Amino acid sequence: MGESRTRRWWALAWISVTQVMMVVDGTVMNIAVPSAQQELGLSDVQRQWVLTVYVLAFGSLLLLGGRVSDVIGRRRALLIGLVGFALASIAGGLAVSGAMLLAARAVQGVFGALVTPSALALLSVTFPDGADRARAFGVFGTIMGSGSGIGVVLGGVLTDSWGWRWALLINVPIAVAAGLGLLLSLRVDPGGRGPVDVTAGLLSAAGLTAVTLGLTGTGSSGWVSAPRLGLLVAGLGALAVFAVVQGRAQSPLMPLSLFSDRLRVAAFTAMLAWGVAVLPTFLFLSVFLQQVAGLTPLVTGLAFLPYTAAILLAVRLVRPALTAAPPRVFLAAGLALLAVGLLVLSWLTPDAPYGSRVLPVLLLLGLGTGCVQPAANSAATHRAGPASGVAGAVASTAQQVGSSIGLALLGTIAATTTAALLAEAPTSGTTTAVVSGYAGASSTGAVVLAVAAVVVLVLAGRRPAADRTESR
């Protein structure tokens, strides 16, 4: 009995390692990408896509990855995902061109979409009930909450010490160690039955990719152009077809019944909006601190530590408060904090000091994240029953898709604003134009987040006190 219990906790440790690796990989390149851009000669759009292509592939294939893991067995799927992720990390770390780096990042996202749902399902099965389950998920949630902050610090340390390539190559020993640990601590689980609707999964991925490409452009391209509108229309059309197919499927990847609960829809909306805000802001600040303020990658990574500290503080306060107040309060408050953070970022200037311009942004983003994440995870799985796992996957998908859309939309706004300023006043200087572009994109992001906060507050509606108690 004692040996079995010990194995469970070792399984938790290695599952947590795999998931932290996934989360860290979404942010570690924020610090490393300016160095990669300089060495490989990437354009600003390609620099943006080094981050976008990972979260896009990861987020758009999460639902399909979850279904595949159910059919072939979660342990097997997790190990396959780790092997593929490690090989893609090697390819990215050895990249000799921008195209090779982007392809490797896309493959990382594909295999990451197999790792994450498998790991979460195995965690749930390993700790099915009781006090151990609550303790395990508490430990797991705390580790995951700090993952993005760990990513930027690790990116700074690795880039400063051994170069940007190690921000990718570091995944290899971690994946090998995690794979061996999981082999020893997890028993083989049988696969399930039923079809895997690969067509539906690829249809949703194609739709999201087309929409993201439609929102991405160069600094000189207009917003209203035939190629851009064509991609947006094609993408939205593919997503519409995906929704129709899911409504008729016997074993859908994403049951549309999940969207019948207003609070759950509000949670999905909040996670989508959160994604729009955080990753683009990380990219903007990373480039600003290194290329404008002149900080080293290591110091830049350390400069992001207040973000992680603010998350841990907010989560510690919000979790017990969820028993006394409805989730919609924290969802809306968190989005409002994110909106204020982006508003402060819009005041950025080339000579802006860290203490009065950058630090407040990181603290506001951290506090907002600490409010949104626990409340959204609780609300997303409320009354989901057997579909709780799928509901959690949809919430994760919304977050990743929001990040890819945010990088595309805000990155394009920053690029077009910069190009327009340089065209109007060529003598103003590239640095001033770039920072002004970031400020303009941040203003747009602040409006989006403020609107999302109001939408979530209204959408969730008031819930009876007994209903709120039941949800916890």
Side-chain angles (χ1 to χ4, degrees):
M1 180 71 175
E3 181 181 355
S4 175
R5 194 167 188 269
T6 300
R7 284 179 56 142
R8 291 201 303 168
W9 290 108
W10 274 112
L12 169 64
W14 291 117
I15 288 172
S16 297
V17 168
T18 62
Q19 276 302 95
V20 167
M21 185 172 66
M22 296 298 108
V23 175
V24 164
D25 217 70
T27 57
V28 68
M29 286 300 291
N30 276 279
I31 305 299
V33 73
S35 298
Q37 179 183 19
Q38 184 175 8
E39 181 176 331
L40 298 179
L42 304 178
S43 66
D44 287 346
V45 172
Q46 287 177 314
R47 179 187 67 192
Q48 171 187 312
W49 270 91
V50 171
L51 305 177
T52 303
V53 71
Y54 173 78
V55 295
L56 179 59
F58 183 50
S60 63
L61 293 173
L62 267 176
L63 295 174
L64 181 59
R67 180 58 184 156
V68 170
S69 71
D70 288 341
V71 172
I72 70 174
R74 282 77 176 261
R75 181 174 179 263
R76 179 183 300 170
L78 181 54
L79 294 173
I80 292 173
L82 282 174
V83 170
F85 191 85
L87 292 175
S89 297
I90 293 174
L94 300 178
V96 295
S97 66
M100 184 175 176
L101 178 59
L102 290 172
R105 290 286 286 168
V107 176
Q108 277 188 311
V110 171
F111 282 101
L114 189 59
V115 169
T116 291
S118 305
L120 292 175
L122 284 168
L123 181 63
S124 183
V125 171
T126 305
F127 295 91
D129 51 40
D132 280 353
R133 178 180 174 86
R135 191 176 301 114
F137 273 85
V139 171
F140 184 78
T142 300
I143 292 173
M144 293 302 295
S146 57
S148 55
I150 293 172
V152 289
V153 174
L154 183 63
V157 172
L158 293 172
T159 303
D160 214 35
S161 301
W162 298 301
W164 67 268
R165 296 178 183 277
W166 278 97
L168 295 167
L169 294 174
I170 191 64
N171 292 323
V172 179
I174 296 174
V176 170
L180 293 174
L182 291 166
L183 277 172
L184 295 174
S185 59
L186 288 174
R187 292 184 173 87
V188 177
D189 59 307
R193 294 183 178 180
V196 177
D197 195 348
V198 177
T199 301
L202 295 179
L203 186 64
S204 67
L208 291 169
T209 300
V211 169
T212 304
L213 286 170
L215 293 173
T216 305
T218 63
S220 59
S221 63
W223 280 101
V224 181
S225 64
R228 186 188 296 275
L229 292 177
L231 284 168
L232 289 174
V233 170
L236 293 174
L239 293 176
V241 173
F242 170 75
V244 172
V245 170
Q246 293 302 284
R248 298 175 178 176
Q250 292 186 346
S251 300
L253 296 177
M254 185 180 68
L256 297 186
S257 59
L258 290 175
F259 296 89
S260 62
D261 186 282
R262 292 176 59 184
L263 177 59
R264 187 176 299 117
V265 175
F268 295 156
T269 303
M271 293 296 275
L272 183 74
W274 179 90
V276 170
V278 174
L279 203 54
T281 302
F282 273 26
L283 176 60
F284 293 166
L285 288 179
S286 175
V287 174
F288 172 79
L289 291 173
Q290 291 183 71
Q291 296 186 353
V292 178
L295 301 184
T296 65
L298 174 59
V299 175
T300 299
L302 294 175
F304 280 85
L305 277 177
Y307 170 78
T308 303
I311 289 178
L312 297 177
L313 174 63
V315 168
R316 188 175 182 86
L317 296 174
V318 168
R319 277 181 179 159
L322 278 170
T323 61
R328 73 175 188 140
V329 172
F330 299 101
L331 293 175
L335 293 177
L337 287 168
L338 294 173
V340 175
L342 289 177
L343 180 62
V344 174
L345 184 60
S346 71
W347 302 336
L348 197 65
T349 59
D351 58 349
Y354 174 84
S356 62
R357 285 292 184 270
V358 178
L359 179 59
V361 173
L362 294 172
L363 292 175
L364 287 164
L365 290 181
L367 293 173
T369 298
C371 288
V372 169
Q373 295 275 5
N377 288 331
S378 173
T381 55
H382 173 54
R383 286 183 172 177
S388 294
V390 178
V394 173
S396 297
T397 299
Q399 173 182 322
Q400 299 297 328
V401 169
S403 294
S404 63
I405 291 175
L407 282 165
L409 177 62
L410 300 189
T412 300
I413 291 174
T416 53
T417 302
T418 298
L421 289 173
L422 288 174
E424 293 175 2
T427 59
S428 62
T430 302
T431 298
T432 299
V434 168
V435 174
S436 296
Y438 291 164
S442 301
S443 298
T444 302
V447 173
V448 171
L449 269 293
V451 171
V454 175
V455 169
V456 164
L457 192 64
V458 173
L459 186 62
R462 293 184 176 275
R463 304 176 75 87
D467 194 22
R468 295 198 304 266
T469 302
E470 179 187 339
S471 71
R472 288 175 289 275

